[in-house]
Structures are given as structure tokens and as C-alpha cells.
């Protein structure tokens, strides 16, 4: 007989980390949970793909008893004995388990730490190596030693190879801080619980306050919504809490350690999904995850990355789309809801403990909106922190969220507490009426009202004392951003595949060369016009180089910014662009030379003409990439190309001969590619030099 007297939550799913594991492909990795409280058992679906059913009816949350028939995904009937046995085992563990684990670890002089199950202390996170580190007792003192891990071992924020450790130190493994005083009493397996605290953070732009003195703490397993009217500082608060923007004053703490002083230490534990897509539409779903895995988990084998990709596909419930093109509105691929999941999956690959999302359900229909919300709730149920901004203020979403942050204008904290009690706090019937209520009084009124409310004492003041560390920490050195050959090869392979898949755009770029060459051959068929033909060839090479590259950075700026936040190295990124685009220029210049040289009976050989045109297109390609990095839209980039091209035409040496230019014109012309390329082609053609 099940005794539901002890409060606890048990997870159900296909994942090995679930409390109740169901080996069925139709069951989601994180499918449902039993909440045992006050002698009742509540069954809740946590965003499963195929649903949870009680007595044949699909449910989201329902009180159940042993007399009910529970079915997961319609084809797996739950055996109540699994829950009964687990609860019996749990009672034994409660009385003896902690001491048993404590004795097992404490009695050893060497304690191994890692991801594989044969370690003394298992940390179930992809950023932790299989054999990561070890604690060793020597002459009565404990030492920690890194075992050649991929992501390093940190002691009090400093990377170490071997160092003495005391109970007051903070040991960080794979971005997960471990309290040494509690280490020996811990369970054998640690999932990496992390809490995040904003300690009175303020953000100013000149004299304007965007976020005003906000302090709050978010605990593991909490699914937090962040709402407020336009101009309330929602995005600014989120960007400060995820470490992208440093506050004007205050700090953000991860398990009592400063995020800003140790950003490189914690960056793998923080995931951020912007509102814009961070995926390439030309890739298939599995390819997108694989390339992201190779970039972010660059020290892991292809087999480990493939396993992680499979896990994420399964967790998101999109395994059936793995070989489907992501696509876009113009080129149909996966659905809008699936696109949101793929965006989310880019972050889940590194198993972050804190996940920030900016409007993750924008543009989705109501059903898909709820599906994504339940998915995120399921992620939070695994002990993660999930924080999102949203404008979809509905009763259903407030029931799904565990907590809610409400900002009033001026970035003032108007509420932080349980989401399903927010409407009562603001004395409104419907959640969306909160915005109207905020307009009835000034921002300072709501700030002071909350500071005097019981919710403030419970969710802000009571949490603050146990999370903020007062001892200062030194600012960590900036991570190395030197060129990386492995990253360069990954980026080059991804970009090359994208260009091949984008057949229309690539075909248009390639067709320009034969069209231009054919026109030159038709128009400049007289020997006296050969000089003009050479000049047009130079202009064509400059145009092709610029137009090939002008949209390549700006068109993926959201992806670039997100990857740059993690570990993207600019030299690797830039050289990958240059390598692939140079191949395109190579083909274009070969077509130009291959058509024009024989058609106009040029004295120059094909190889010499091709080589000079290729040399002309290279600086133009780099100029195009530079323009692409300066603007915010592809249209603006292409609009600047004529402004670059016109001086090249006027001062290139044909319209005005270089010798007839004044000093100022000559100085400007000296910096232009066309001036030197045109002269080189003339020398090549008329002096007989090959």
C-alpha cells in the first residue's frame, strides 16, 4: 500500500535520470511527475510529446489514486508497484542512505570525480569529463588534482592542476560549484543544482535609470516569467543576469560566487535563447545540432557529440525531424513550434543549469505556445532554472510558471513570487489586467508596496541571506580568442554546406560571371576597345568580390552574437568566410577569363588573366565582409556597395588617366584596387609579359 505522507516529487520518463524510468520510445525523456503532498498524489504532465492519460482522458494535472489507470503516451500502462517500491526504498534511504554515502566517501583517502558512473562522485553534466578530478588525502590534508579534464578544475575561481583544499573553499567542476563542507554528505550522483541571485543591481544609460536597485534570488527547479510594460527594463535585467551586460552597480551571484568576476568559469552553465533565430535555415535539424555541438563541445569526440545530439532531439520531442530541412517562411521546412524547439536545443546541448529565453513563444498559435511552455516547465523540473520574458499573459501560462517577476516603468521591482498568486496580489481578475493596474499608480508606489509585502520577506529577504557571499573575488582573465584550426574547419564545413544548400542565391552569384563576360565579348569586339574591356573586367572582379561577401555577416548576426558569447573566435570565423567565398571568386574569375581571353583574342594567357582577376577580387571580398560587419540589415549592406564601386570606376584609370590626376586624386586612387589592377592588366596585355 502506498503511503503518500512524505512530501516529495518523483519524475517519470525515458531518461536514465528520471526517478521512474520507462523504456518506451513513445514516452518522452521527461514525461510527467508525481507530486506527493498532504496525503495526496498529484500526477502532472510536464510537456510530453504524446500526452499523459488517466482512465482514458488526457490530463495536464490531476489527483490520482491506486484505483486509477494511468497511461503514458497511450501505449504504456503504468504499474503502480513501481511507485510503491520507490517510496519504500526512499524511506530506507532517508534513515540510512545519507550515512551510508557519507561513510563510503569519507572513509577513502582518494575520491574520484567525473561523469562516468564508476567515479566515487558522479556529476551528470556533459561539461564534466568522464574522469575529471580527484580529491586525495596526504599527511592529514586534502588536495584536489585535475585529471586532464576538458574544461578544467577551478578552486575559488582560479584554474588549478593541483592545490590544497579546505572546507571553506569552493571547488568548481565543469562550471558546477561544490561546497566542500557538504561534499562528503552528498549523494553519489550530483545533477549540479545552481541558484542565481541579483544583488541590488542597477543599470543606467547616462542619467536615465533603466533597472532600479533590484535584488532577488532564483532557486533550482523554478520556472520564472519576466513581464512588464514597454520600457520597464525586462531585457536589460535579463542581460545583466546572464552576464552579457555589466550593471552600473550591484552584482550577480552564482552559488555565492560573482558571475562577472568569474564569467569564464560559469559561461557553460548559462544558456541564452534570443528572440531571433540562432539557426541556419539551410541546414537539417541534426546537422544544425551537430555543428553547434562541435563548436561548443570542441574537446569532445564525434561519438560523444552525436550521443548528446540524440539526447537533445529526444528531450525536445523532435527526433522525427532530425533529417528535415529547417527551412523558412519562403522555403517550407519544420513548423514554427519545431523551430522554437530547435533554437532551444542549441543551448540544451551544453546542459546549462540556468536558461534565459527572450519571447520563446512569440508568433506561435495558442496550442503550440502551451506545448513550448510545458516543455520548458519539464526542463525546470529537472532542477534547472528557466527564466523567460513573455507578452503572452494568460491564466494558463501563469499556472505553468512557478514564479513571476513583474517590473513597473523605470525598471522597479513590483512583484516577485508565485505566478498563480500574482493576479490576487494586484487585485485583478485576469492576468493581463496587471498591466492596466500598474498604470493606476506611479512606479515608486509599486516598488514600496512590494517591499512591505509578505511576498518580499518570503521570496527576497529570506533567500538573500543564504546566497550572497561578502568576500571579494578577483576578476578572471579574459579567455583566449586566438585562431583555432578545429573551429576553423567546423565553421568552414558548415558555411560551405550552407552555400551549397542555398542553391538560388549561389546560382545567381555564379551566373553573374558568364553574363558579364558575354556582354564584354559582344560589346568590345574591336581591337581598339580592348583597353576598355580590360577596365570592365577589373570592375567586374571588384563587384563580384564585394557582392559575394556583403550579406554574409549581417545575415547571421544573431547567430554570430550568440556563438561569440560562448567561444567563437573571430579569426576562425573570418577565415572560414574568406575560404569559402574565395572558392566562389575562383570559379567566377575563371569564367570571366575563360570567356573573354579567347573571344577578344587577348595577348594575355588564360592563367595570367585569371590570376590577376583573382587577386583583384580578394581585397574586394574583404571589403564586402567589412561592410557586412558595420550594418544591421542585408539591404543596407547592398546599398553601400555602389558607394564603394563608384570611386573605383571614376579613379580607376580609364575615365581619368592617372597621369592627368591632381595630387589629391592620386592619393585617393593609390588606395583603390582598380587603379593597380587596371595598370597590371595593361602591362600584361601590351608589353607581352606573361
Amino acid at each position: 500500500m502506498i503511503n503518500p505522507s512524505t512530501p516529495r516529487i518523483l519524475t517519470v520518463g525515458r531518461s536514465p535520470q528520471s526517478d521512474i524510468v520507462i523504456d518506451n520510445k513513445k514516452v518522452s525523456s521527461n514525461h510527467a511527475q508525481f507530486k506527493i503532498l498532504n496525503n495526496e498524489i498529484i500526477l502532472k504532465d510536464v510537456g510530453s510529446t504524446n500526452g499523459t492519460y488517466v482512465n482514458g482522458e488526457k490530463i495536464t494535472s490531476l489527483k490520482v489514486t491506486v484505483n486509477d489507470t494511468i497511461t503514458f503516451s497511450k501505449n504504456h500502462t503504468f504499474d503502480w508497484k513501481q511507485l510503491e517500491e520507490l517510496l519504500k526504498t526512499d524511506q530506507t534511504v532517508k534513515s540510512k542512505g545519507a550515512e551510508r554515502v557519507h561513510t563510503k566517501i569519507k572513509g577513502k583517502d582518494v575520491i574520484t570525480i567525473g561523469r562516468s558512473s564508476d567515479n566515487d562522485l558522479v556529476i551528470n553534466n556533459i561539461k564534466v569529463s568522464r574522469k575529471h578530478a580527484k580529491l586525495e588525502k596526504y599527511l592529514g590534508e586534502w588536495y584536489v588534482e585535475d585529471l586532464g579534464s576538458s574544461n578544467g578544475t577551478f578552486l575559488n575561481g582560479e584554474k588549478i592542476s593541483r592545490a590544497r583544499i579546505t572546507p571553506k573553499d569552493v571547488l568548481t567542476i565543469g562550471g558546477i560549484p561544490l561546497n566542500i563542507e557538504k561534499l562528503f554528505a552528498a549523494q553519489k550522483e550530483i545533477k549540479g543544482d545552481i541558484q542565481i541571485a541579483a544583488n541590488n543591481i542597477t543599470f543606467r544609460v547616462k542619467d536615465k535609470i533603466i533597472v532600479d536597485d533590484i535584488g532577488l534570488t532564483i532557486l533550482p527547479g523554478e520556472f520564472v516569467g519576466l513581464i512588464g510594460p514597454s520600457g520597464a527594463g525586462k531585457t536589460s535585467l535579463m542581460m545583466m543576469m546572464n552576464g552579457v551586460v555589466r550593471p552600473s552597480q550591484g552584482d550577480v551571484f552564482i552559488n555565492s560566487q560573482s558571475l562577472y568576476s568569474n564569467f569564464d568559469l560559469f559561461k557553460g552553465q548559462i544558456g541564452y535563447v534570443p528572440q531571433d533565430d540562432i539557426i541556419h535555415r539551410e541546414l537539417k535539424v541534426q546537422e544544425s545540432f551537430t555543428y553547434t555541438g562541435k563548436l561548443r563541445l570542441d574537446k569532445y569526440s564525434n561519438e560523444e557529440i552525436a550521443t548528446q545530439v540524440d539526447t537533445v532531439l529526444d528531450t525536445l520531442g523532435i527526433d522525427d525531424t532530425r533529417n528535415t530541412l529547417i527551412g523558412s517562411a519562403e522555403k517550407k521546412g519544420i513548423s514554427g513550434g519545431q523551430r522554437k524547439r530547435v533554437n532551444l536545443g542549441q543551448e540544451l546541448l551544453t546542459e546549462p543549469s540556468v536558461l534565459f529565453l527572450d519571447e520563446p513563444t512569440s508568433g506561435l498559435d495558442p496550442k503550440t505556445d502551451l506545448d513550448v511552455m510545458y516543455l520548458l516547465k519539464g526542463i525546470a523540473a529537472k532542477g534547472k532554472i528557466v527564466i523567460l520574458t513573455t507578452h503572452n499573459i494568460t491564466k494558463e501560462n501563469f499556472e505553468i510558471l512557478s514564479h513571476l517577476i513583474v517590473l513597473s516603468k523605470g525598471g522597479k521591482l513590483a512583484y516577485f513570487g508565485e505566478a498563480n498568486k500574482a493576479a490576487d496580489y494586484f487585485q485583478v481578475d485576469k492576468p493581463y489586467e496587471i498591466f492596466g493596474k500598474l498604470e493606476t499608480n506611479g512606479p515608486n508606489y509599486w516598488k514600496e508596496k512590494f517591499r512591505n509585502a509578505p511576498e518580499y520577506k518570503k521570496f527576497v529577504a529570506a533567500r538573500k541571506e543564504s546566497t550572497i557571499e561578502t568576500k571579494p573575488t578577483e576578476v578572471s582573465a579574459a579567455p583566449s580568442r586566438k585562431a583555432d584550426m578545429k573551429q576553423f574547419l567546423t565553421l568552414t564545413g558548415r558555411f560551405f554546406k550552407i552555400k551549397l544548400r542555398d542553391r538560388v542565391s549561389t546560382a545567381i552569384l555564379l551566373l553573374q560571371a558568364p553574363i558579364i563576360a558575354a556582354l564584354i565579348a559582344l560589346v568590345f569586339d574591336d581591337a581598339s576597345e580592348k583597353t576598355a574591356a580590360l577596365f570592365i573586367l577589373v570592375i567586374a572582379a571588384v563587384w563580384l568580390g564585394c557582392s559575394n561577401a556583403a550579406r554574409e555577416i549581417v545575415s547571421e548576426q544573431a547567430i554570430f552574437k550568440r556563438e561569440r558569447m560562448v567561444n567563437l573566435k573571430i579569426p576562425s570565423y573570418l577565415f572560414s568566410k574568406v575560404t569559402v567565398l574565395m572558392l566562389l571568386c575562383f570559379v567566377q574569375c575563371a569564367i570571366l577569363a575563360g570567356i573573354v581571353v579567347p573571344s577578344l583574342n587577348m595577348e594575355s594567357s588564360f592563367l595570367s588573366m585569371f590570376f590577376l582577376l583573382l587577386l583583384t577580387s580578394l581585397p574586394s571580398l574583404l571589403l564586402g565582409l567589412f561592410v557586412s560587419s558595420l550594418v544591421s540589415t542585408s539591404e543596407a549592406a547592398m546599398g553601400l556597395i555602389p558607394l564603394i564601386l563608384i570611386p573605383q570606376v571614376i579613379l580607376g584609370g580609364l575615365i581619368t588617366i592617372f597621369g592627368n590626376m591632381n595630387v589629391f586624386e592620386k592619393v585617393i586612387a593609390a588606395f583603390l584596387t582598380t587603379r593597380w589592377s587596371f595598370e597590371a592588366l595593361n602591362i600584361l596585355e601590351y608589353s607581352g609579359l606573361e
Side-chain angles (χ1 to χ4, degrees), residues 469-484:
E469 182 182 70
T470 56
K471 71 174 185 179
T473 53
E474 296 182 0
V475 177
S476 58
S480 172
R481 295 291 179 129
K482 297 179 182 179
D484 182 288

Side-chain angles (χ1 to χ4, degrees), residues 340-567:
K340 294 292 184 181
R341 292 176 184 241
V342 173
N343 274 290
L344 173 60
Q346 310 296 316
E347 299 303 313
L348 296 184
L349 282 168
T350 56
E351 298 181 8
S353 295
V354 186
L355 186 62
F356 294 89
L357 304 102
D358 190 5
E359 297 286 348
T361 61
S362 62
L364 299 180
D365 61 79
K367 181 185 181 304
T368 307
D369 176 287
L370 286 176
D371 288 342
V372 173
M373 290 293 287
Y374 275 118
L375 171 66
L376 295 173
K377 184 177 180 66
I379 293 171
K382 297 178 180 179
K384 312 289 186 182
I385 293 174
V386 180
I387 305 171
L388 62 84
T389 61
T390 181
H391 283 98
N392 195 3
I393 314 300
T394 64
K395 183 178 180 180
E396 290 85 356
N397 281 346
F398 273 36
E399 290 294 332
I400 296 171
L401 293 167
S402 67
H403 293 74
L404 187 72
I405 300 170
V406 181
L407 300 183
S408 60
K409 287 187 176 180
K412 302 181 189 300
L413 184 61
Y415 178 80
F416 174 51
E418 294 173 277
N420 58 8
K421 295 182 180 179
D424 292 338
Y425 175 84
F426 287 98
Q427 297 179 332
V428 296
D429 295 326
K430 299 178 181 179
Y432 68 82
E433 294 176 344
I434 291 174
F435 285 177
K437 192 72 172 182
L438 289 172
E439 298 293 332
T440 61
N441 289 285
N444 285 322
Y445 167 83
W446 294 109
K447 177 180 177 180
E448 293 304 317
K449 173 181 169 64
F450 178 63
R451 291 205 169 187
N452 294 314
E455 287 83 0
Y456 181 86
K457 295 178 182 178
K458 180 178 180 180
F459 294 104
V460 178
R463 292 182 175 189
K464 182 177 180 179
E465 297 300 323
S466 62
T467 57
I468 302 301
E469 182 182 70
T470 56
K471 71 174 185 179
T473 53
E474 296 182 0
V475 177
S476 58
S480 172
R481 295 291 179 129
K482 297 179 182 179
D484 182 288
M485 179 57 68
K486 186 176 181 180
Q487 190 176 94
F488 162 73
L489 293 174
T490 299
L491 291 167
T492 302
R494 184 177 71 177
F495 186 39
F496 184 73
K497 182 168 288 187
I498 289 170
K499 297 303 287 185
L500 287 180
R501 293 268 176 81
D502 191 6
R503 295 177 183 176
V504 174
S505 297
T506 303
I508 291 172
L509 292 174
L510 287 173
L511 284 172
Q512 291 181 75
I515 292 172
I516 294 172
L519 286 173
I520 293 174
L522 288 172
V523 175
F524 302 101
D525 56 349
D526 191 274
S528 62
E529 299 175 324
K530 189 177 292 186
T531 300
L534 292 175
F535 184 73
I536 298 300
L537 276 174
V538 170
I539 297 299
V542 172
W543 161 256
L544 292 172
C546 285
S547 62
N548 287 345
R551 288 170 291 196
E552 292 305 332
I553 294 178
V554 66
S555 64
E556 58 178 33
Q557 57 184 325
I559 300 172
F560 171 81
K561 289 177 181 178
R562 181 63 196 112
E563 291 180 345
R564 180 68 177 157
M565 286 169 61
V566 183
N567 66 342

Side-chain angles (χ1 to χ4, degrees), residues 634-653:
S634 298
E635 291 77 13
M638 295 308 296
L640 285 176
I641 296 302
L643 296 179
I644 294 172
L645 200 61
I646 289 172
Q648 302 267 12
V649 174
I650 295 174
L651 300 175

Side-chain angles (χ1 to χ4, degrees), residues 175-177 179 182 192-198 216-222 241 252-259 266 269-270 353-354 356 383-387 462-469:
I176 299 171
N179 187 306
K182 299 179 181 179
D193 288 344
I194 279 184
Q195 58 189 24
I196 184 168
L216 50 84
T217 302
I218 301 174
L219 303 179
E222 293 184 344
M241 292 189 71
V252 174
F253 290 85
I254 302 284
N255 281 25
S256 79
Q257 289 186 290
S258 169
L259 171 62
F266 292 119
Q269 286 299 325
I270 296 175
S353 295
V354 186
F356 294 89
K384 312 289 186 182
I385 293 174
V386 180
I387 305 171
R463 292 182 175 189
K464 182 177 180 179
E465 297 300 323
S466 62
T467 57
I468 302 301
E469 182 182 70

